[in-house]
Amino acid sequence: AQKVTQAQTEISVVEKEDVTLDCVYETRDTTYYLFWYKQPPSGELVFLIRRNSFDEQNEISGRYSWNFQKSTSSFNFTITASQVVDSAVYFCALRGVSGGSNYKLTFGKGTLLTVNP
Amino acid sequence: DTAVSQTPKYLVTQMGNDKSIKCEQNLGHDTMYWYKQDSKKFLKIMFSYNNKELIINETVPNRFSPKSPDKAHLNLHINSLELGDSAVYFCASSATAGSPNEQFFGPGTRLTVL
């Protein structure tokens, strides 16, 4: 069975602070994919990043960066110099490749990030 | 152009009624999904179709029945609505079931059962 844990239910920071959102996953698959999605107050789900299990390189996109560590089964997300517009619920998700139900996205429970001015 | 669209955006109805939510994608994707997001924001897969064939059917009451008339459409029909069905329902699509590509989500349908 696949499982994604986002232990931080809510985080509140002041604008310009850096913030890291934690994600820990469990899977028996040797090949899998990890994702982060953002859900702003307007409600839509916005794709942020996909990472496959063979690529442990960290990724940076503007103020966003991701740290994938297979040894600890973690895929953490850092926002540098946070802005009010970053306020949203962030979801980490896991997807397998072995067919059937493994094609679904298994989501963590999400972390509500509030960035205060 | 909207990639994944859902109608209606809001649906308020009485217990016991039957309702449908429609989903369409214009991305040329083969695979479509229905997810349910409860009041605590937890997202859970309900169904998935690949080229009109059901490939994922999680533990969902029989009152929920998906229908895929073609690979661009996946509708969700709910019979005998119950209070616990109140949630936001998201449709999503991806290129193919086995590809690693991300899933694109529709705007969601907020269902309220009174």
Side-chain angles (χ1 to χ4, degrees):
Chain A
Q2 298 178 331
K3 186 178 177 183
V4 176
T5 302
Q6 294 180 255
Q8 303 150 310
T9 307
E10 293 187 36
I11 299 176
S12 182
V13 299
V14 177
E15 213 171 13
K16 298 185 183 176
E17 283 186 26
D18 298 348
V19 57
T20 296
L21 310 181
D22 297 333
C23 173
V24 173
Y25 61 91
E26 294 174 31
T27 180
R28 292 179 183 170
D29 289 346
T30 53
T31 301
Y32 50 88
Y33 297 89
L34 295 161
F35 301 80
W36 276 94
Y37 281 84
K38 174 182 180 180
Q39 188 174 38
S42 51
E44 72 273 23
L45 282 157
V46 179
F47 165 78
L48 295 178
I49 190 171
R50 176 188 72 238
R51 177 49 51 94
N52 76 55
S53 53
F54 293 118
D55 183 2
E56 289 194 68
Q57 281 191 338
N58 291 335
E59 178 147 348
I60 299 175
S61 175
R63 295 184 297 107
Y64 295 171
S65 62
W66 290 268
N67 182 288
F68 175 34
Q69 295 207 348
K70 214 167 174 178
S71 60
T72 55
S73 298
S74 65
F75 186 42
N76 297 337
F77 172 32
T78 297
I79 302 174
T80 303
S82 60
Q83 300 176 1
V84 172
V85 293
D86 295 327
S87 296
V89 180
Y90 290 87
F91 292 96
C92 181
L94 168 68
R95 179 186 168 283
V97 299
S98 51
S101 285
N102 283 324
Y103 289 150
K104 69 183 181 187
L105 279 175
T106 298
F107 284 89
K109 293 190 175 181
T111 297
L112 171 62
L113 173 65
T114 302
V115 181
N116 298 298
Chain B
D1 284 344
T2 305
V4 182
S5 59
Q6 295 178 229
T7 53
K9 188 166 175 61
Y10 299 96
L11 186 51
V12 181
T13 188
Q14 299 288 331
M15 254 183 9
N17 284 349
D18 303 339
K19 290 293 178 185
S20 291
I21 306 172
K22 295 186 176 181
C23 179
E24 176 181 2
Q25 55 94 2
N26 62 6
L27 297 166
H29 288 168
D30 287 343
T31 309
M32 296 183 73
Y33 311 79
W34 277 111
Y35 288 86
K36 178 180 179 181
Q37 186 173 44
D38 64 21
S39 58
K40 295 184 179 179
K41 297 283 191 180
F42 186 51
L43 274 159
K44 194 173 188 319
I45 185 76
M46 299 174 70
F47 303 103
S48 177
Y49 272 75
N50 186 59
N51 272 324
K52 301 194 296 176
E53 180 183 345
L54 183 66
I55 58 169
I56 296 175
N57 185 353
E58 295 290 286
T59 308
V60 177
N62 290 338
R63 300 181 294 102
F64 290 79
S65 54
K67 283 189 172 49
S68 182
D70 55 61
K71 70 177 191 178
H73 296 84
L74 180 61
N75 303 323
L76 183 65
H77 189 75
I78 314 170
N79 289 326
S80 303
L81 278 156
E82 299 177 357
L83 293 176
D85 298 333
S86 295
V88 180
Y89 293 84
F90 285 97
C91 176
S93 74
S94 64
T96 62
S99 79
N101 295 334
E102 63 271 24
Q103 294 179 17
F104 292 87
F105 285 80
T109 295
R110 181 174 294 276
L111 170 65
T112 303
V113 182
L114 303 174

